[in-house]
Amino acid sequence: MKIIKNGMRVWLTIASVISFLAGWALLAHANKPTPLQFNTPAISSPASNSPFQSFNNNQSSNSPFTSQNQSFFGRSRLRTGGS
Amino acid sequence: MGHKMQYDEFRAMNSDIVLAASGAEPSLLREGFQQARRFIQQSEQRFTRFTDTSELADLNRAAGSWFQASADMFQVLQEAQTLARQTDGLFNPAILPALKQAGYDRSMDELRRSAPRIGTLQVLEIQDFRSVQLDSSTQSVYLPDEMQIDLGGIAKGWIAEQAAWQLSEFSDACAVSAGGDMFLIGLPEGGMWWEIGLENPLQAEQDLATLSVTPGAVATSSITKRRWVHHGQTQHHLIDPRTGSPAQTEWLSVTVWAETAAEAEVYAKVLLIGGQQSADVLFDHITSKAYLSVDKNGRVSGSSNYHEVFNV
């Protein structure tokens, strides 16, 4: 019984050390996160930012159609200012 | 699917056009975009004053005799006359000769590329558009002799609204913006309003504020965008029908929310020409419309209801 207990302890220790080292290696080789840049207008309502999505999963990359929330990076696609 | 707003952008009517729609399958929205785009391009050919082959050019050539108009042209002329009467003639499409005299005789894209002209400016007397006769039984129009009209702004608003109604047949919520004159139908999914950037007239690439508005029409008139040098003087496209010259305005831009795009466009223009005095008369006790003006120091003011309507 004691042999089994000691065996379990050794196995858990080795498994923990291997998992820790594997996690460390994964994080070390992962891409660094890039901070988002926001253009903040003088007065604005809170922007709802979400990832840019393609219009359609099957569409070709040169399609003129785009898809996104009303505000993108804090600025509306619809603007009024006289033409 | 259908949650995100879809956009289609292109250039027409010498303006940036933005179509926005949501609430349907992408293939259906794409069909709607194509239909709206076709309508805008065909309408531009009808209403432009920069070709000799448009219906507007035919109408101007027919001044002094009756002219058989298309249904679209007749509808815009009817709205123009109603608004000319409502604004006591301050909205007057018969300013075309004065606009050409001020140097705006080519499209703005061409004008910006060409060299300034030298000489002296003459002041022209403007005919009154309210004297135009419209016969709805025959869909005919009579422009008085030598009257020349420009439907630029009101036609742009009207086209944006019609295109939006067409697009709404393919979507739950949609918007069409023609150079900032826009018509909004329904509400974006999960939203209580449409968010619209209000351009800073002093720095066009920046937004002065984000307007949050309910469905309807929004239009802005500004003297800072369509400008050029003619006979040594800086000119802009907003002709004051009382003087026949580019208006001397106390504001740089005026934004109006109204029920129709033609109304929003015309009232924005009229308030920019007439200033506070006109605003006091035209917006007295009116809650179906609202305006917001930006002065030369970037200060924002407006009608008594502008905070609630624009949520700023």
Side-chain angles (χ1 to χ4, degrees):
Chain A
M1 195 66 183
K2 199 169 182 179
I3 294 170
I4 294 171
K5 266 189 177 175
N6 285 336
M8 284 287 282
R9 280 191 189 119
V10 171
W11 184 80
L12 278 171
T13 307
I14 291 169
S16 300
V17 169
I18 288 171
S19 300
F20 173 77
L21 289 174
W24 183 294
L26 268 174
L27 282 172
H29 289 92
N31 290 332
K32 296 256 181 327
T34 313
L36 287 173
Q37 299 296 316
F38 292 90
N39 299 321
T40 313
I43 312 164
S44 74
S45 56
S48 48
N49 297 296
S50 66
F52 193 91
Q53 291 188 342
S54 66
F55 180 85
N56 179 338
N57 289 338
N58 300 322
Q59 80 181 70
S60 63
S61 59
N62 61 356
S63 166
F65 306 115
T66 55
S67 163
Q68 64 193 57
N69 282 346
Q70 280 201 80
S71 291
F72 188 60
F73 294 144
R75 180 161 164 170
S76 175
R77 284 282 282 274
L78 293 170
R79 299 180 78 221
T80 187
S83 52
Chain B
M1 274 298 179
H3 291 249
K4 291 272 182 273
M5 190 62 69
Q6 320 283 347
Y7 292 92
D8 180 20
E9 295 177 52
F10 55 99
R11 193 144 175 96
M13 304 188 283
N14 287 298
S15 302
D16 293 326
I17 310 293
V18 182
L19 312 180
S22 68
E25 290 298 314
S27 58
L28 196 61
L29 293 183
R30 197 153 44 224
E31 203 184 322
F33 284 153
Q34 281 163 356
Q35 186 172 314
R37 188 192 275 238
R38 258 196 312 276
F39 173 77
I40 290 169
Q41 287 165 340
Q42 285 165 0
S43 299
E44 178 180 15
Q45 297 310 310
R46 184 186 305 285
F47 290 103
T48 181
R49 69 176 172 93
F50 299 116
T51 70
D52 290 335
T53 53
S54 68
E55 188 180 349
L56 181 68
D58 290 342
L59 172 61
N60 280 330
R61 276 193 294 270
S65 58
W66 282 93
F67 176 82
Q68 178 75 51
S70 66
D72 286 0
M73 176 64 78
F74 196 78
Q75 197 180 334
V76 172
L77 290 168
Q78 277 182 315
E79 287 197 35
Q81 197 162 62
T82 303
L83 289 160
R85 287 179 178 145
Q86 277 178 17
T87 59
D88 202 21
L90 210 46
F91 168 62
N92 186 350
I95 44 82
L96 184 54
L99 206 50
K100 286 179 174 173
Q101 167 72 18
Y104 194 3
D105 52 1
R106 290 150 284 169
S107 74
M108 190 48 61
D109 290 349
E110 285 176 63
L111 202 59
R112 284 180 182 133
R113 286 194 296 266
S114 58
R117 293 180 191 175
I118 334 163
T120 49
L121 276 171
Q122 295 171 333
V123 174
L124 294 176
E125 197 175 320
I126 309 288
Q127 295 192 60
D128 193 338
F129 182 74
R130 288 172 291 181
S131 61
V132 168
Q133 296 175 60
L134 298 170
D135 183 348
S136 49
S137 64
T138 58
Q139 212 171 273
S140 302
V141 189
Y142 181 87
L143 296 189
D145 201 21
E146 293 186 5
M147 180 181 280
Q148 301 285 286
I149 63 170
D150 172 32
L151 296 171
I154 188 173
K156 197 187 288 184
W158 182 86
I159 291 167
E161 179 169 343
Q162 300 308 311
W165 285 117
Q166 290 191 12
L167 189 51
S168 72
E169 289 172 20
F170 298 84
S171 59
D172 289 343
C174 66
V176 174
S177 167
D181 289 359
M182 61 187 80
F183 195 74
L184 316 160
I185 297 173
L187 284 170
E189 207 164 297
M192 292 167 66
W193 44 58
W194 289 87
E195 290 175 5
I196 297 164
L198 174 65
E199 267 181 44
N200 184 342
L202 297 163
Q203 283 175 294
E205 67 284 357
Q206 289 185 359
D207 285 351
L208 194 62
T210 299
L211 311 177
S212 301
V213 296
T214 50
V218 176
T220 298
S221 202
S222 164
I223 56 161
T224 60
K225 294 196 96 176
R226 295 195 179 221
R227 296 174 79 87
W228 64 94
V229 176
H230 189 64
H231 298 321
Q233 294 173 26
T234 302
Q235 309 284 335
H236 61 76
H237 74 301
L238 212 67
I239 300 292
D240 186 337
R242 299 167 298 190
T243 64
S245 304
Q248 303 288 319
T249 68
E250 57 191 277
W251 294 321
L252 292 180
S253 74
V254 174
T255 301
V256 168
W257 183 92
E259 283 172 12
T260 71
E263 237 184 334
E265 212 286 330
V266 165
Y267 273 86
K269 184 176 286 179
V270 162
L271 291 193
L272 195 49
I273 294 171
Q276 190 64 58
Q277 203 178 351
S278 295
D280 291 343
V281 175
L282 293 169
F283 280 75
D284 188 30
H285 301 302
I286 285 184
T287 52
S288 59
K289 287 188 273 288
Y291 80 89
L292 179 159
S293 59
V294 182
D295 72 11
K296 285 158 187 162
N297 298 312
R299 277 193 301 261
V300 173
S301 58
S303 50
S304 56
N305 58 346
Y306 94 89
H307 285 294
E308 301 96 84
V309 172
F310 293 110
N311 284 288
V312 286

